[in-house]
Amino acid sequence: QTEYYLAQWHSVIAIGNPGGVMCSTNRINGVDACMNGLYFDILRGHAFNFSGFVVTDGGSCGNPNCRATVALHNASAANDWTEEGHEIAAELCVSTGTDMELGTTLTSYAGGAVEAGKIEPNEISQSNTRVYAQMIAQGHLDAVPADSIGAEAVDTPRSRKIAFDAATQAMVLLKNEYGTTLPLR
């Protein structure tokens, strides 16, 4: 399958130069993609040399399917699926190269995994650097004219007029032609 899929994936990375990619909930050789060193070795290694960020598919660091991958490292934590299991899942995602999760495992358990020594603080820094580098490159942190608007502009006659004009221009009136439509029940 590497001959079939890797060429297309390499073209997307090399030609498209995306700022981010998404890992999914599937498994590669029995290990969840977002926790899979092989996936990240190819993506971030010499083969593709991808420097952007990796975001998971929904909940890919903590869904129940991850238990099989966690079990490879700690069977009892995977069976109990308590805080320790979630911290191991967070560790596996972060240490292999996942930067951001569409879910809550990283936000809820990565801090505990850092405190427990399962995740190195520099790994969190690397993830943040990759995510913020893309935000900066896309202009998300650039100054905009609205940044200069202060509290003095809130609830003024001018702002009330703007809100009133927007509301009246967007308003739709219904004609009660038959006398039975309005009022709506």
Side-chain angles (χ1 to χ4, degrees):
Q1 291 200 9
T2 57
E3 295 85 8
Y4 184 78
Y5 291 109
L6 284 184
Q8 289 83 350
W9 196 33
H10 185 265
S11 295
V12 168
I13 301 297
I15 297 167
N17 193 27
V21 297
M22 178 179 274
C23 57
S24 60
T25 56
N26 66 304
R27 291 193 180 120
I28 303 166
N29 298 334
V31 177
D32 289 270
C34 296
M35 301 174 174
N36 196 303
L38 175 63
Y39 172 86
F40 288 98
D41 287 346
I42 293 169
L43 180 65
R44 296 203 192 277
H46 69 279
F48 291 5
N49 199 28
F50 178 71
S51 61
F53 72 90
V54 175
V55 62
T56 71
D57 199 351
S60 293
C61 288
N63 68 51
N65 294 332
C66 297
R67 289 183 182 188
T69 301
V70 170
L72 297 172
H73 299 271
N74 186 322
S76 65
N79 288 334
D80 297 339
W81 205 236
T82 59
E83 187 167 340
E84 182 181 13
H86 288 287
E87 286 180 1
I88 293 169
E91 169 198 1
L92 294 171
C93 277
V94 171
S95 66
T96 54
T98 296
D99 299 309
M100 198 160 85
E101 180 194 17
L102 297 179
T104 60
T105 298
L106 294 185
T107 56
S108 299
Y109 298 100
V114 168
E115 288 175 12
K118 295 175 183 170
I119 297 175
E120 293 296 323
N122 70 325
E123 292 174 310
I124 300 293
S125 294
Q126 286 175 331
S127 290
N128 287 337
T129 298
R130 288 188 286 256
V131 171
Y132 282 107
Q134 289 306 312
M135 291 176 72
I136 290 167
Q138 295 172 19
H140 291 295
L141 303 178
D142 291 351
V144 294
D147 289 344
S148 63
I149 297 174
E152 70 280 354
V154 177
D155 198 23
T156 64
R158 182 176 181 273
S159 66
R160 286 183 192 171
K161 180 173 180 356
I162 291 170
F164 178 82
D165 289 346
T168 55
Q169 290 174 27
M171 194 177 296
V172 175
L173 296 177
L174 299 175
K175 184 176 181 184
N176 198 13
E177 189 172 311
Y178 302 105
T180 57
T181 306
L182 298 174
L184 298 174
R185 291 181 187 90

